[in-house]
Amino acid sequence: AQRVTQPEKLLSVFKGAPVELKCNYSYSGSPELFWYVQYSRQRLQLLLRHISRESIKGFTADLNKGETSFHLKKPFAQEEDSAMYYCALSSTGRRALTFGSGTRLQVQP
Amino acid sequence: DADVTQTPRNRITKTGKRIMLECSQTKGHDRMYWYRQDPGLGLRLIYYSFDVKDINKGEISDGYSVSRQAQAKFSLSLESAIPNQTALYFCATSKTGDYGYTFGSGTRLTVV
């Protein structure tokens, strides 16, 4: 069975500080990993996916198959980054995305 | 106009009542999903549909049923609502081969 673990429910940092939101997964095959974000009063939306190796809003995430992790990082947090972040996994084949429990990021001024 | 629309936005119902949550989309996506969100538990999959005739149970389907009336419509029913089904329900869509979901704005359901 596939599982996504986000160990932190809340991460609070000051503006300008580095941010790392942790995500670990368990899956025996080759997963696709994603980060979704939900800003206050907005819909859940895709932030980035590991396949595209892109940087969105200054965030990056690297898939580490050895450590089964897909941590989300940003070198300098901004107040507008405050939101709920969900890590998600898809397996090969037909299944839908499996989401983690989410981490709330608070960026204080 | 929103491309994934959920109705109602909020609903309070009594224990034992049947209730239907509706989702419609103008994205032209073939896949649709229902998730529920609970504090500390994240999003859990209830049902998903890869086509009008292809409906699958998710991890928490007990107490729920779905209907895919058309490619654009996917309804979730609670046959006999119970208080622990109080949650925020999300509909999402995607196209085959792409797990970039488009989410609706959610339905907040309270069962009293």
Side-chain angles (χ1 to χ4, degrees), chain B residues 78-98:
Chain B
L78 285 67
E79 299 301 325
S80 179
I82 56 177
N84 76 0
Q85 291 177 313
T86 293
L88 187 55
Y89 290 84
F90 285 106
C91 174
T93 72
S94 72
K95 59 182 180 182
T96 298
D98 184 356

Side-chain angles (χ1 to χ4, degrees), chain B residues 6-11 21 87-90 105-109:
Chain B
Q6 290 186 235
T7 56
R9 292 293 302 273
N10 292 281
R11 180 74 180 265
L21 310 182
L88 187 55
Y89 290 84
F90 285 106
S105 55
T107 294
R108 186 168 297 281
L109 177 67

Side-chain angles (χ1 to χ4, degrees), chain A residues 15-49:
Chain A
K15 178 181 174 182
V19 171
E20 183 178 54
L21 300 169
K22 296 188 187 306
C23 172
N24 290 90
Y25 67 90
S26 62
Y27 177 60
S28 57
S30 293
E32 287 188 52
L33 275 298
F34 304 80
W35 278 98
Y36 279 77
V37 61
Q38 188 174 29
Y39 300 102
S40 179
R41 289 185 289 278
Q42 293 188 28
R43 301 183 183 205
L44 200 64
Q45 57 188 283
L46 177 65
L47 180 62
L48 56 79
R49 62 184 84 194

Side-chain angles (χ1 to χ4, degrees), chain A residues 9 32 34 36 38 43-46 49 84 86 90-102, chain B residues 2-5 31 33 35 37 40-43 45 48 50 54 56 90 98-101 103-105:
Chain A
K9 290 189 175 177
E32 287 188 52
F34 304 80
Y36 279 77
Q38 188 174 29
R43 301 183 183 205
L44 200 64
Q45 57 188 283
L46 177 65
R49 62 184 84 194
M84 194 75 179
Y86 290 97
S90 78
S91 57
T92 52
R94 292 162 44 84
R95 286 189 56 83
L97 283 178
T98 298
F99 286 85
S101 56
Chain B
D3 38 29
V4 180
T5 302
R31 299 185 172 193
Y33 313 83
Y35 286 85
Q37 184 184 48
L41 297 178
L43 281 80
L45 182 65
Y48 60 107
F50 286 175
D54 182 3
N56 306 276
F90 285 106
D98 184 356
Y99 284 96
Y101 285 9
F103 279 85
S105 55

Side-chain angles (χ1 to χ4, degrees), chain B residues 25-44:
Chain B
Q25 53 117 345
T26 58
K27 299 286 291 184
H29 289 169
D30 51 340
R31 299 185 172 193
M32 298 186 74
Y33 313 83
W34 277 104
Y35 286 85
R36 65 177 277 176
Q37 184 184 48
D38 298 276
L41 297 178
L43 281 80
R44 292 182 292 165

